[in-house]
């Protein structure tokens, strides 16, 4: 399993066990089987991205009925119920550190969703995700320890500045601030999702963390929306959002993080502005200007460059290892 951050704060190489075993056996990364193993977790991340962004578009449609905090509470509560029923996680046999990880993961889930929906309620979905993705991209630069990734990060920052038009007045500064804060929580989500996946089998840790997040978000949702949360049509849309934006993508991402370094996972997340822009256009009729499209493209190019750099670095290290055997 990948280990994104050690206890002391240093960053190990974080190579998945399957890849390490393949390298030790002679490096079959170029074979169809090796390629399939490499692409499998990437496909999980992409599928999760499609699900979460189109789910977010549906959530924006729900906001006029319940408000942003109401959507968050419905999403997390229904997602927690589904995961607890399906996973039926055991409550025994876990250490204090295990429970500490789950509680922290749940708090991050609640904060990330709450901040993001406050942002999506104020600025277009594609812009919100483009700003939010700075969190994972920053994490990627920190853990990769490769100077070239700093250049990719600068390119992504240029895209964000272009998106803001030189200042966030065009977007709504409060919405932009919420998106940037959600990005910080997204980076924390990547770390705690990986740690939870190592401490709990299957998706048990995710189910427990979702329950924690739901308990934290529900009082805020009730305070904002009250009985509006219990309208049957609202609950139906809320269930769709919970499945698309929480249950499916978080499960896929947790599984992917067991086989991907967190740095690679983080830069793959940077593809989501394009998915969000497409979802905003198809579901919410949020058209992009030429400048906005160029800004999002710069962020995506930076992300792809970072992925290519990291994959190339791992391949080179694998070749050195094989040559030394």
């Amino acid at each position: 399993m990948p280990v994104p951050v050690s206890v002391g704060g240093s960053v190990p190489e974080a190579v998945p066990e399957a890849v390490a075993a393949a390298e030790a056996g002679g490096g079959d990364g170029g074979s169809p089987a090796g390629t399939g193993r490499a692409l499998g977790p990437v496909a999980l991340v992409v599928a999760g991205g499609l699900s979460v962004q189109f789910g977010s578009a549906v959530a924006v449609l729900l906001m006029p009925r319940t408000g942003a905090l109401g959507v968050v509470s419905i999403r997390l509560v229904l997602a927690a119920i589904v995961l607890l029923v399906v996973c039926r996680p055991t409550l025994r046999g876990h250490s204090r550190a295990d429970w500490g990880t789950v509680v922290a993961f749940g708090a991050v889930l609640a904060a990330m969703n709450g901040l993001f929906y406050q942002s999506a309620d104020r600025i277009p979905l594609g812009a919100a995700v483009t700003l939010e993705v700075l969190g994972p991209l920053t994490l990627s630069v920190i853990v990769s320890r490769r100077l070239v990734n700093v250049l990719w990060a600068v390119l992504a920052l240029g895209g964000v500045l272009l998106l803001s038009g030189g200042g966030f007045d065009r977007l709504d500064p409060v919405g932009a601030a919420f998106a940037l804060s959600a990005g910080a929580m997204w980076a924390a989500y990547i770390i705690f999702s990986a740690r939870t996946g190592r401490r709990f089998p299957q998706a048990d840790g995710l189910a427990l963390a979702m329950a924690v997040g739901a308990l934290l978000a529900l009082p805020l949702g009730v305070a904002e929306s009250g009985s509006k949360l219990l309208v049957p049509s609202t609950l139906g849309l809320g269930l769709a959002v919970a499945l698309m934006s929480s249950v499916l993508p978080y499960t896929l991402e947790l599984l992917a993080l067991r086989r991907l370094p967190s740095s690679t996972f983080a830069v793959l997340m940077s593809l989501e502005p394009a998915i969000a822009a497409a979802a905003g256009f198809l579901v919410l009729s949020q058209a992009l200007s030429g400048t906005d499209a160029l800004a999002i493209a710069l962020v995506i190019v930076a992300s792809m460059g970072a992925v290519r750099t990291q994959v190339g670095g791992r391949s080179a290290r694998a070749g050195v290892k094989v040559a030394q055997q």
Side-chain angles (χ1 to χ4, degrees):
M1 299 176 190
V3 183
V5 180
S6 67
V7 175
S10 62
V11 182
E13 289 298 325
V15 179
E17 292 176 357
V19 176
E23 291 171 353
D28 65 350
S31 69
T35 302
R37 283 193 296 271
L39 293 179
V42 173
L44 292 177
V45 175
V46 173
L50 287 168
S51 181
V52 74
Q53 296 307 333
F54 277 87
S56 295
V58 175
V60 172
L61 294 176
L62 188 56
M63 284 181 191
R65 303 187 185 191
T66 65
L69 294 177
V71 172
V72 173
S73 63
I74 290 178
R75 169 181 168 176
L76 294 183
V77 168
L78 294 178
I81 292 173
V82 171
L83 286 171
L84 290 172
V85 170
V86 172
C87 299
R88 290 183 292 181
T90 179
L91 301 180
R92 297 180 178 180
H94 302 300
S95 67
R96 181 176 299 180
D98 293 341
W99 285 113
T101 299
V102 159
V103 170
F105 188 22
V108 166
L109 284 171
M112 180 179 68
N113 283 284
L115 291 167
F116 176 75
Y117 281 139
Q118 291 287 353
S119 173
D121 196 30
R122 292 170 171 81
I123 61 178
L125 188 61
V129 176
T130 301
L131 294 175
E132 186 189 25
V133 85
L134 288 183
L137 189 58
T138 300
L139 176 64
S140 171
V141 172
I142 292 173
V143 304
S144 68
R145 298 185 299 178
R146 293 176 66 85
L147 180 61
V148 68
N149 275 352
V150 176
L151 301 178
W152 293 122
V154 170
L155 180 61
L157 181 60
V160 170
L161 292 176
L162 185 62
L163 182 68
S164 70
F168 290 112
D169 294 343
R170 181 175 67 88
L171 285 178
D172 181 305
V174 175
F178 276 127
L180 293 171
S181 299
M185 291 297 99
W186 197 354
Y189 160 80
I190 292 171
I191 294 173
F192 282 104
S193 181
R195 292 180 180 178
T196 301
R198 292 196 302 272
R199 290 181 175 273
F200 292 84
Q202 307 303 322
D204 288 8
L206 175 61
L208 295 171
M210 193 69 70
V212 172
L215 290 174
L216 293 174
L218 184 58
L220 299 176
V222 171
E224 181 177 66
S225 304
S227 61
K228 294 178 182 178
L229 299 177
L230 300 178
V231 176
S233 59
T234 298
L235 288 174
L237 284 174
L239 180 60
V241 172
L243 294 174
M244 294 175 66
S245 293
S246 293
V247 176
L248 180 59
Y250 291 166
T251 300
L252 293 176
E253 289 169 6
L254 185 144
L255 295 175
L257 277 166
R258 288 175 172 161
R259 300 166 60 191
L260 277 179
S262 61
S263 55
T264 302
F265 176 85
V267 292
L268 284 173
M269 290 287 94
S270 299
L271 297 175
E272 297 209 7
I275 302 173
F281 176 73
L282 294 174
V283 179
L284 305 173
S285 301
Q286 295 177 342
L288 293 175
S289 67
T291 301
D292 291 340
L294 177 60
I296 292 175
L298 287 176
V299 175
I300 293 171
V301 168
S303 302
M304 295 301 294
V307 171
R308 185 179 179 87
T309 297
Q310 291 175 9
V311 171
R314 288 200 305 275
S315 298
R317 289 195 298 271
V320 171
K321 179 184 287 188
V322 172
Q324 290 174 342
Q325 291 178 349

